[in-house]
Amino acid sequence: MYERTVMQSNDTNQLVRLQANNIRSAAESIHAAFVDYPLCRHLQQKSNAKKKTLIPFFEYILYICVRNGLVVATSSHLEAVAGWLPYDQHTITAWKVLRSVPFKTLLGTFKIARKIKAVGNAIDDAHHRLAPCRHWYLNIIGVRPECQKKGHATRLIKAVLADLDEKRLPCYVDTLDPKNIPVYEHFGFRVLEQISITETNLMLTAMLRKTP
């Protein structure tokens, strides 16, 4: 069985590990952080949806991470939230979705899921191809706009990376926003490949942080 244990160092003990009952509030924090993220703009253009209809989409992601990996926040105020998955859990199967995500959230994401299928396939294909090694995946991270540039993202990322370094496990991340690339490079991630996603104006950047 692949080792999924993290959150054992002094650094990670300063974070709040979230459970399923925290997911709605955590998704609202992620949503606030992602208002201008390229994928969100793409979804709104494709579906002509109001911004708040994307909250179930973030709930979906976080439920997957809570059930199969790890979701942490800087405090109970949820200024910043991050969801992580181990290598053997990042592929989203139908069984995993049914086991992890409440039916109400699934209903809320049904229309969005059809619009995002090509993007999701591109993300999954790149992940499998570029990072076949054992690793953890930084699936999502967001900091509420009023809390940005105050060190919250640094606390979330550095703490978990410290645990991964102890276990000699690399970390994979991808982003659709080029502004995020230098941020991740600051934490030791390096660009593996940049991929133009078919039938969209989105560019996926895949990055990997090797163990020291």
Side-chain angles (χ1 to χ4, degrees), residues 18 20-31 55 59 62 76-78 81 144:
L18 304 186
N21 62 330
N22 306 119
I23 292 305
R24 176 67 184 190
S25 296
E28 290 173 352
S29 290
I30 292 283
H31 173 264
I55 291 179
E59 285 186 314
L62 293 173
S76 59
H77 299 295
L78 307 179
V81 177
R144 296 188 66 88

Side-chain angles (χ1 to χ4, degrees), residues 48-60:
N48 196 28
K50 295 180 180 179
K51 290 181 178 179
K52 286 193 175 181
T53 61
L54 298 180
I55 291 179
F57 171 67
F58 295 118
E59 285 186 314
Y60 170 92

Side-chain angles (χ1 to χ4, degrees), residues 66 123 174:
V66 159
I123 290 172
D174 48 48

Side-chain angles (χ1 to χ4, degrees), residues 7-202:
M7 297 288 288
Q8 292 183 338
S9 72
N10 290 333
D11 289 335
T12 48
N13 287 338
Q14 303 303 312
L15 303 178
V16 175
R17 184 166 186 168
L18 304 186
Q19 303 298 331
N21 62 330
N22 306 119
I23 292 305
R24 176 67 184 190
S25 296
E28 290 173 352
S29 290
I30 292 283
H31 173 264
F34 273 62
V35 168
D36 293 320
Y37 190 66
L39 179 59
C40 294
R41 294 200 302 266
H42 172 74
L43 287 172
Q44 288 161 351
Q45 291 168 0
K46 294 285 285 185
S47 62
N48 196 28
K50 295 180 180 179
K51 290 181 178 179
K52 286 193 175 181
T53 61
L54 298 180
I55 291 179
F57 171 67
F58 295 118
E59 285 186 314
Y60 170 92
I61 295 173
L62 293 173
Y63 274 120
I64 294 290
C65 292
V66 159
R67 176 72 180 187
N68 303 283
L70 171 74
V71 177
V72 289
T74 44
S75 79
S76 59
H77 299 295
L78 307 179
E79 303 94 341
V81 177
W84 307 70
L85 288 170
Y87 172 66
D88 62 344
Q89 294 295 323
H90 72 79
T91 299
I92 308 303
T93 63
W95 166 244
K96 187 177 297 180
V97 170
L98 292 174
R99 186 186 66 171
S100 306
V101 184
F103 185 67
K104 182 179 179 180
T105 298
L106 288 178
L107 284 179
T109 60
F110 179 73
K111 292 182 179 179
I112 294 173
R114 291 185 298 169
K115 305 296 182 182
I116 202 177
K117 184 176 181 180
V119 179
N121 287 342
I123 290 172
D124 289 343
D125 289 346
H127 193 167
H128 282 288
R129 178 170 57 84
L130 297 172
C133 58
R134 294 170 65 245
H135 64 276
W136 273 68
Y137 174 37
L138 176 50
N139 192 320
I140 193 166
I141 182 170
V143 182
R144 296 188 66 88
E146 66 273 19
C147 300
Q148 292 175 5
K149 298 183 179 180
K150 296 181 180 180
H152 293 294
T154 296
R155 284 186 59 207
L156 286 180
I157 294 175
K158 287 184 68 174
V160 178
L161 291 181
D163 272 359
L164 297 183
D165 286 347
E166 289 182 8
K167 297 175 177 62
R168 307 295 297 169
L169 289 170
C171 186
Y172 179 89
V173 69
D174 48 48
T175 182
L176 295 167
D177 192 339
K179 292 185 293 186
N180 290 338
I181 297 173
V183 177
Y184 290 128
E185 287 178 332
H186 173 75
F187 293 105
F189 290 87
R190 296 294 177 259
V191 174
L192 296 174
E193 192 171 312
Q194 291 186 298
I195 302 153
S196 179
I197 299 179
T198 305
E199 298 180 2
T200 76
N201 61 354
L202 299 173

